[in-house]
Amino acid sequence: MTWIVVRDAFGALILAFLFSGSDLVSVGIWLASTAALVGLELLILVLKAAEVEPAQIAVAWTWRFRRRSRRRLDRRPYAVRATEGMVASAIDNPNFHVSRLQPRLTELADHFLPIRQGIDSESDPARAKALLGDVAWLVDSDVSDRSPTVHELDRFLDIILAEEPTPTHADQAGSD
């Protein structure tokens, strides 16, 4: 980087001599020329490193390139996008489910079950397991050889995010 600046400063000094027109060299012209040469050389180095083909280089001020991109930007929060990626990976890979998705699902259950269902999964794990039913294995740390399906994940989220408390089998047996 230092070599680029020194070389371009020397080249700019030559340009400053040519454009100043007098015996004195203008410092302003010299600094502007140095900045322009360094910027141009760094731009060339970046384009070389990016390996951009000439057909892909687009001039920013032409009208035909000002159209909006056809791809829509994903403006959802990062945590939502990250969880979606974890779900996609966990469906194909049981190890990924155990190492990455299961802790996230456990956090969700620990957060929403007390709020929405009035069940604390730490103090009353049997009741939490009864509420979750056939999808309780998603947060069971002993299960390590299964991959969740989209239907199971939907059902899990429907249970923990339900607005009304969902009666469990134990609650129904106690009311009889």
Side-chain angles (χ1 to χ4, degrees):
M1 179 69 182
T2 306
W3 175 246
I4 292 172
V5 174
V6 170
R7 185 179 62 220
D8 289 344
F10 182 71
L13 186 61
I14 294 171
L15 285 174
F17 273 124
L18 294 175
F19 289 113
S20 63
S22 64
D23 292 339
L24 298 176
V25 175
S26 170
V27 174
I29 292 176
W30 177 62
L31 289 176
S33 300
T34 301
L37 288 176
V38 168
L40 181 64
E41 189 161 356
L42 290 177
L43 178 65
I44 290 170
L45 288 174
V46 166
L47 290 176
K48 282 182 182 177
E51 296 180 6
V52 177
E53 294 180 18
Q56 293 177 341
I57 298 174
V59 180
W61 55 84
T62 61
W63 288 104
R64 67 182 179 155
F65 293 112
R66 295 187 79 128
R67 285 183 270 151
R68 290 189 173 242
S69 173
R70 294 180 197 269
R71 288 181 26 197
R72 294 184 56 202
L73 295 177
D74 194 353
R75 299 193 188 279
R76 295 176 299 162
Y78 174 76
V80 172
R81 290 181 287 149
T83 303
E84 186 178 78
M86 281 187 226
V87 167
S89 296
I91 288 173
D92 297 331
N93 185 350
N95 293 331
F96 194 87
H97 167 71
V98 171
S99 65
R100 302 289 304 276
L101 184 62
Q102 193 177 57
R104 180 68 62 99
L105 294 176
T106 303
E107 288 174 12
L108 288 171
D110 290 344
H111 178 76
F112 284 108
L113 284 179
I115 295 170
R116 303 274 174 105
Q117 304 293 333
I119 298 173
D120 184 14
S121 59
E122 289 185 18
S123 64
D124 198 0
R127 192 167 167 216
K129 188 173 182 177
L131 174 70
L132 293 172
D134 61 339
V135 292
W137 72 269
L138 289 170
V139 292
D140 187 3
S141 59
D142 295 334
V143 177
S144 62
D145 59 345
R146 280 182 75 178
S147 292
T149 64
V150 173
H151 176 70
E152 290 170 327
L153 291 168
D154 282 343
R155 184 155 156 58
F156 174 81
L157 291 174
D158 286 344
I159 292 169
I160 67 168
L161 297 175
E163 294 291 330
E164 297 290 323
T166 307
T168 62
H169 297 295
D171 292 341
Q172 291 172 353
S175 65
D176 291 339

